[in-house]
Amino acid sequence: MKYKDKKKVLVIGSLNVDMVTNVDHTPVAGETILGDKLDLIPGGKGANQACAAGRLGADVTMFGALGDDQYAMISKKSLIDSGINVSYLIKKKHTGTGVALITVDKEGDNSIVVIPGANAKLSMEDIDRNIVLIEQSDIVVFQLEIPVETVLYAARKAKELNKLVILDPAPAPPEFPMELYRYVDVIKPNETELGILAKTENVLENLYEATELLKDYGVKHVIVTLGNKGVYVNSFSQGIEQIPSYEVQVVDTTAAGDSFTASLALMLAEGKELMEAVRYANLVAAIVVTRKGAQSSIPSVDEVREYEG
Ligand code: ATP
């Protein structure tokens, strides 16, 4: 498909820099330990999803807020390298870029402190001032690492303008605004997030009831990612289907969910049917879990084609 024929994807969300060090064990209160070295890695769910969609060939614009510090460029450069339009990113004065402080212990377990910085300041006024972005896009993708009221406002605008709205409800807030469901065409929780949104325990045994509830609230298609158990789809038009995951050698599951959402957006932008989009996302995410890192683990279009064989 030619670039100019593709629908335009707008990602509205977070941009972070992950500061990662490897440690022997996670320090307890009052303890000082040594890390091996410091890696500065671009992250944030919004930026990860924009990068993934861009690398897989979508026409993507990223909208979000960076700080006025040296970390902003790390985030921006990675987006530029993935072919994303970054010309509308906002720089918040006297504010830091979003940062995640991550220690990884020798068992591979993470401990993370997130400092939202500029992400927390992305406001409804910022959306209004840049409404042209929503007007000019076809598909708008959200996550919940920016203020939920900003997401609600922008999603309402997107729906008023007849755009397709995709929501990756991560991290799931304890209080989710009910009105938001009405503006969402596709929601993609993982099983934990679905449990929080539907206030359901044992979500795996209640997938039908929990996803029906989100449809009752107004969402059209509910797509639940279930890690190595694959994907559960409950769609108002395509029915219900559970698709198994690919059997792969798992190295690192970071960004599996983000690349899944990005692939969905890409395929829907190319005019594909929902179920075809889900199958493609399932494949891309399976490739991602065989590689280390977040944005670094996302395959190119050609690499996905090789796996499709
Ligand atoms: P993350 O927060 O790590 O980005 P997530 O919790 O949002 O991920 P998951 O449900 O863990 O999302 O995984 C998303 C998708 O990635 C799954 O639906 C599946 O397609 C793929 N996937 C994840 N883990 C595996 C696995 N072990 N084997 C094959 N595919 C996997």
Side-chain angles (χ1 to χ4, degrees), residues 188 190 225-228 230-231 245-246 248 250 253 255-257 282 285 289:
K188 188 230 76 79
N190 65 16
T225 55
L226 301 167
N228 64 3
V231 195
S245 68
Y246 286 84
V248 290
V250 179
T253 61
N282 195 31
V289 302

Side-chain angles (χ1 to χ4, degrees), residues 256-274:
D258 288 338
S259 57
F260 189 99
T261 301
S263 310
L264 271 185
L266 163 84
M267 293 302 271
L268 296 175
E270 291 189 353
K272 301 288 190 318
E273 290 289 336
L274 182 79

